[in-house]
Amino acid sequence: MKTAVPCYYHLDVEVGPDRVDQVKRILAAHLRHWNLESLVESVCHCADVLLRTIEEYAADRNTTIEMWWNGQHLITAVADSDGTFHPDSATQGCLAQLAALSDGWGCCASGDGGRIVWFSRRVRAMERAPLVRPLPVPSLREARRTPRGRPVPAMALSVPTTPSEETTVAAAALSGGARGYPPGV
């Protein structure tokens, strides 16, 4: 059975006319490296649409592109740092193309005042691969060392020294002497 290893890729780039095609080639190379040949065309087209929209309408063209592969879904996010740029108001065709070419998409604000636009693509059932299970982390009991042995005080019932003591201890235990202590203790 073919297994998939979870993958992540991060790229910071300043978008320009020559950089969009270069970013598309980089993304395509990573998808091929992850054995996701069937997703190259749609993912690169969606990234191209987003990057060209940022190039055309955003004042600050510094962007971050991230891709996550989990064995069944590929999620691609394009984040800008321009607080005035809104992809939904820039062009109607941008988000419509994203919706047509992806299985899911969304837009949210980023921590630095910009926007993050993400889209996801599922891999067809026959191409899916289960993830490789990570090795289990040792539990707390396995990770801790066992405590050093402490000497346990000998109990009165454990080792009698003479036969007369044995009968005295047994009689004390039967008569209510608590926990094997001799009577009177």
Side-chain angles (χ1 to χ4, degrees):
M1 174 183 273
K2 183 178 173 184
T3 59
V5 176
C7 300
Y8 173 77
Y9 179 69
H10 177 100
L11 176 67
D12 291 322
V13 65
E14 185 174 346
V15 178
D18 55 335
R19 299 290 289 195
V20 174
D21 291 329
Q22 183 181 17
V23 169
K24 284 175 38 180
R25 286 191 301 272
I26 292 169
L27 297 179
H30 277 279
L31 291 172
R32 287 185 184 105
H33 179 69
W34 295 344
N35 295 323
L36 299 173
E37 188 77 33
S38 63
L39 300 180
V40 170
E41 185 177 336
S42 61
V43 169
C44 288
H45 184 72
C46 288
D48 179 54
V49 168
L50 287 171
L51 292 174
R52 292 204 189 275
T53 303
I54 290 171
E55 175 195 353
E56 187 174 342
Y57 293 99
D60 183 9
R61 294 185 177 147
N62 291 320
T63 61
T64 300
I65 302 164
E66 296 176 308
M67 289 193 310
W68 297 272
W69 165 240
N70 69 3
Q72 295 181 358
H73 294 88
L74 176 78
I75 300 170
T76 305
V78 178
D80 65 357
S81 55
D82 186 8
T84 61
F85 172 68
H86 300 284
D88 49 350
S89 65
T91 60
Q92 290 182 328
C94 173
L95 297 180
Q97 287 182 27
L98 219 85
L101 291 172
S102 63
D103 295 317
W105 67 277
C107 181
C108 62
S110 66
D112 61 355
R115 296 276 178 181
I116 300 171
V117 179
W118 60 268
F119 59 92
S120 68
R121 291 286 299 164
R122 279 183 303 225
V123 177
R124 284 181 253 147
M126 67 180 82
E127 296 175 5
R128 287 186 186 166
L131 290 175
V132 174
R133 291 182 178 250
L135 294 175
V137 178
S139 69
L140 189 58
R141 290 183 182 176
E142 292 171 356
R144 276 197 224 165
R145 291 181 37 191
T146 56
R148 291 185 216 144
R150 294 186 195 171
V152 179
M155 297 186 73
L157 284 176
S158 63
V159 184
T161 55
T162 63
S164 61
E165 282 183 27
E166 182 178 353
T167 54
T168 307
V169 171
L174 291 175
S175 67
R179 293 179 182 81
Y181 293 111
V185 176

